[in-house]
Amino acid sequence: MSTNEAPSPDGGFDAADAKIDALLREFFRAEVPVTLPPAPLEAPDDWEPLTPLEAPRGFKGSKWDFAAPALLASLAVMLVCGLMLLPRPRQNEPQFAGPLPPDVHQQPTPAVWVPDVTGFPRSPTFVEARSERQKVKGGEVDVMVMDGDALVDLKYYKTSLGLVEQRVNVEWTTVRLWDSDSGEWLEATVPSVRVDVVPLGQ
Amino acid sequence: MPESPTQERDAALYHRLARPMWSVLYSRCCDAELALDAVQEAFVRWREQDASRIDEPAAWLLRVASNWMTDQLRRHRPTLPYHETGEVARTDGDPASVLIRHEMQEQVRAALSGLRLEDREALVLRYSLDWSSARIAEALGLTVQAVDMRLSRARRRLGDLLKRKGVVDVYERSAVS
């Protein structure tokens, strides 16, 4: 058969097919590149291997076709898990850096107190109890007639912690004594000293 | 200048295989230019090979061409359809009829790509190589009845697609005129 001769109509060729047949001949006449050689008269002897784009006929997929990807995926997962379980150098772990230097163990420096006397009241201040002597049996006892306290000293210190106020107060305390010999209560007023240290800040 | 035996052998091989290779490749991609490039690429590589070590040249050539074409398709190779590479310029006819024919070609090409591969393969071998059903059956390792069935099914399916787009009517009118 020459290339110009139309192939014999195949089975089931009807009028509708004839239209499409003519259309397809026209289509491929324009579609086939003119640079190609004419179609060979005979099919190539080694034509059979010319269809490698499809699976070979009669080829049946092996059951390993499915199992192989699953096996490879499982091996990959196991490999990743194994790598994650490998010991690795720990981070942020305390490390021995040797003994501390001697200067770390120095004793704390005490605060430096610098007297800053304001002058009121002058220090030392003597406070006399206003009392009168009362004759009692066997002697004389000073009797306090008036209670109260008095600020007898006030000092300010400039320290490393800031200004500190030191207040010295003298308090008078009346003590009553029962004198069984005379059958009277005896009262005595005695002094006590209270020192207050108040930090005033900077 | 006389050709060397190697050149004569390669020329005979090209003359014998180029068009069938193009047809097979075209049935896969429906792109005439890409199929032609694949054929030429395969023969270029063939000349660079030691042909004495290749037992089945046809199989080797088609495999190389097919792989190259697949690679190009994966890269979304931009191609200019073969029929648009200057046909208008070299056509003496009415530009409108040329455009209509271009449109028809494009519609048929799109319909072809909608067929099943096995049907399209038989159809392309029939109409691009003018092979009979017996020769196609011999080439594809099928019976003649199987080839006829594929051809009939392909034409019917293609006819449905093209009638739906009105291409058949346009073709008939252009053929009459």
Side-chain angles (χ1 to χ4, degrees):
Chain A
M1 180 191 294
S2 73
T3 55
N4 295 325
E5 178 186 353
S8 60
D10 43 83
F13 198 85
D14 55 16
D17 285 344
K19 289 183 182 177
I20 301 300
D21 183 79
L23 187 150
L24 285 171
R25 290 184 186 285
E26 183 67 24
F27 169 79
F28 277 102
R29 194 172 294 127
E31 192 76 349
V32 176
V34 295
T35 56
L36 282 176
L41 299 181
E42 300 294 336
D45 297 336
D46 49 354
W47 173 263
E48 183 66 23
L50 272 174
T51 56
L53 303 181
E54 293 177 323
R57 290 177 178 77
F59 173 79
K60 292 182 179 178
S62 167
K63 62 182 180 181
W64 294 106
D65 289 346
F66 171 77
L71 183 62
L72 289 176
S74 301
L75 288 175
V77 171
M78 292 173 64
L79 179 63
V80 170
C81 293
L83 289 175
M84 293 177 67
L85 291 177
L86 285 177
R88 288 177 294 180
R90 296 179 180 176
Q91 296 178 349
N92 300 328
E93 188 176 4
Q95 295 180 351
F96 180 71
L100 291 175
D103 54 351
V104 176
H105 296 290
Q106 286 181 346
Q107 295 297 327
T109 304
V112 180
W113 288 50
V114 180
D116 182 18
V117 180
T118 61
F120 175 78
R122 295 178 61 181
S123 176
T125 301
F126 296 94
V127 179
E128 292 182 358
R130 288 177 295 176
S131 60
E132 59 182 6
R133 290 181 180 277
Q134 185 176 2
K135 290 185 183 297
V136 296
K137 185 181 179 180
E140 293 179 343
V141 176
D142 288 336
V143 178
M144 178 69 183
V145 296
M146 182 178 176
D147 288 345
D149 60 345
L151 179 65
V152 298
D153 186 37
L154 179 64
K155 288 182 178 177
Y156 293 91
Y157 294 91
K158 293 179 180 177
T159 71
S160 58
L161 301 177
L163 194 61
V164 174
E165 180 185 77
Q166 175 184 285
R167 304 172 66 93
V168 179
N169 297 274
V170 176
E171 298 176 342
W172 296 97
T173 304
T174 300
V175 179
R176 298 179 66 190
L177 297 175
W178 171 256
D179 187 357
S180 58
D181 295 337
S182 61
E184 296 177 342
W185 284 95
L186 297 178
E187 289 184 349
T189 300
V190 295
S192 62
V193 177
R194 192 186 78 242
V195 179
D196 296 326
V197 178
V198 181
L200 300 179
Q202 297 297 330
Chain B
M1 181 178 180
E3 293 183 341
S4 67
T6 302
Q7 289 175 327
E8 290 180 358
R9 181 203 61 194
D10 292 347
L13 196 66
Y14 182 81
H15 193 271
R16 183 170 70 92
L17 294 176
R19 189 146 174 179
M21 284 177 61
W22 179 89
S23 297
V24 171
L25 296 171
Y26 180 85
S27 69
R28 263 67 177 186
C29 67
C30 292
D31 186 335
E33 180 73 4
L34 179 59
L36 180 62
D37 287 349
V39 170
Q40 293 174 345
E41 180 70 22
F43 276 95
V44 167
R45 296 186 183 184
W46 164 264
R47 293 187 185 99
E48 298 170 351
Q49 297 294 319
D50 182 6
S52 62
R53 303 178 62 179
I54 300 175
D55 296 331
E56 297 179 328
W60 188 91
L61 283 165
L62 187 56
R63 187 165 56 248
V64 170
S66 172
N67 291 339
W68 184 87
M69 187 178 75
T70 303
D71 187 50
Q72 295 297 309
L73 289 173
R74 283 176 181 161
R75 294 178 184 175
H76 301 284
R77 166 182 176 265
T79 59
L80 183 63
Y82 178 79
H83 67 285
E84 293 180 5
T85 55
E87 186 177 348
V88 175
R90 66 171 180 265
T91 300
D92 298 330
D94 180 17
S97 64
V98 173
L99 291 176
I100 291 174
R101 191 159 65 248
H102 283 173
E103 179 62 22
M104 285 179 55
Q105 289 287 112
E106 188 61 39
Q107 295 290 343
V108 176
R109 202 175 292 119
L112 270 177
S113 62
L115 297 179
R116 292 164 58 180
L117 175 60
E118 55 186 17
D119 295 346
R120 187 168 63 235
E121 185 179 51
L123 203 69
V124 172
L125 293 180
R126 159 60 62 85
Y127 290 99
S128 67
L129 297 174
D130 275 349
W131 279 0
S132 65
S133 298
R135 192 174 297 169
I136 296 173
E138 179 187 358
L140 297 182
L142 301 172
T143 64
V144 176
Q145 290 76 17
V147 172
D148 287 344
M149 187 181 67
R150 290 186 182 186
L151 287 172
S152 177
R153 186 171 57 200
R155 273 193 296 261
R156 187 168 58 252
R157 173 70 175 152
L158 196 67
D160 292 341
L161 292 172
L162 294 177
K163 283 177 185 174
R164 204 177 305 161
K165 296 181 178 179
V167 177
V168 177
D169 297 337
V170 173
Y171 169 77
E172 286 180 333
R173 284 200 298 271
S174 64
V176 169
S177 62

